[in-house]
């Protein structure tokens, strides 16, 4: 089972507000296990709590990921239009040296 699925299930039980931010269908997310990193595509449907979480660099998500798996996760936030244009996340980030 992938870490993101484990995280989704655990968040739904333990942190329902954080679950709603990431898995409530109001934002786009991409999670890469190999490196690990999270990309969030913001939308106009997201709430105030989501905006605060994303302005803080996905602070709560990172802390919970570290708690569950003992692994640091990097994050990147962009708007949904830019998010939908990316077909290969590794190619998108690698040339800029963001995730190596």
């Amino acid at each position: 089972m992938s870490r993101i699925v484990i995280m989704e299930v655990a968040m739904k039980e333990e942190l329902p507000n954080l679950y709603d931010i990431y898995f409530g269908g109001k934002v786009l997310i991409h999670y890469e296990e190999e490196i690990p990193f999270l990309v969030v595509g913001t939308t106009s449907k997201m709430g105030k709590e989501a905006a605060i979480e994303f302005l803080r660099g996905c602070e709560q998500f990172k802390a919970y990921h570290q708690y569950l798996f003992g692994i640091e996760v990097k994050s990147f936030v962009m708007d949904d239009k830019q998010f939908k244009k990316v077909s290969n996340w590794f190619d998108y980030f690698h040339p800029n040296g963001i995730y190596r």
Side-chain angles (χ1 to χ4, degrees):
M1 184 178 295
S2 74
R3 283 194 297 257
I4 194 69
V5 172
I6 293 168
M7 198 146 172
E8 181 179 1
V9 171
M11 236 185 236
K12 187 171 186 176
E13 292 297 317
E14 295 181 5
L15 301 167
N17 291 339
L18 195 59
Y19 170 86
D20 287 342
I21 290 171
Y22 286 97
F23 302 106
K26 296 176 184 153
V27 298
L28 304 172
I29 64 169
H30 172 79
Y31 177 80
E32 189 66 43
E33 282 197 41
E34 188 177 325
I35 295 176
F37 70 87
L38 170 77
V39 182
V40 178
T42 61
T43 68
S44 60
K45 296 177 187 176
M46 68 183 201
K48 178 182 170 184
E49 296 82 15
I52 292 168
E53 168 72 357
F54 302 145
L55 284 171
R56 292 182 176 164
C58 304
E59 180 179 69
Q60 293 179 73
F61 185 96
K62 289 178 178 181
Y64 196 60
H65 189 278
Q66 181 74 35
Y67 165 76
L68 283 179
F69 307 115
I71 301 169
E72 180 184 353
V73 64
K74 298 192 184 283
S75 65
F76 191 80
V77 179
M78 63 177 59
D79 68 44
D80 61 334
K81 291 168 189 67
Q82 186 178 1
F83 184 100
K84 291 175 183 176
K85 291 179 183 178
V86 179
S87 59
N88 185 315
W89 290 105
F90 185 78
D91 289 347
Y92 180 82
F93 286 114
H94 185 67
N96 298 323
I98 296 173
Y99 297 112
R100 285 194 228 189

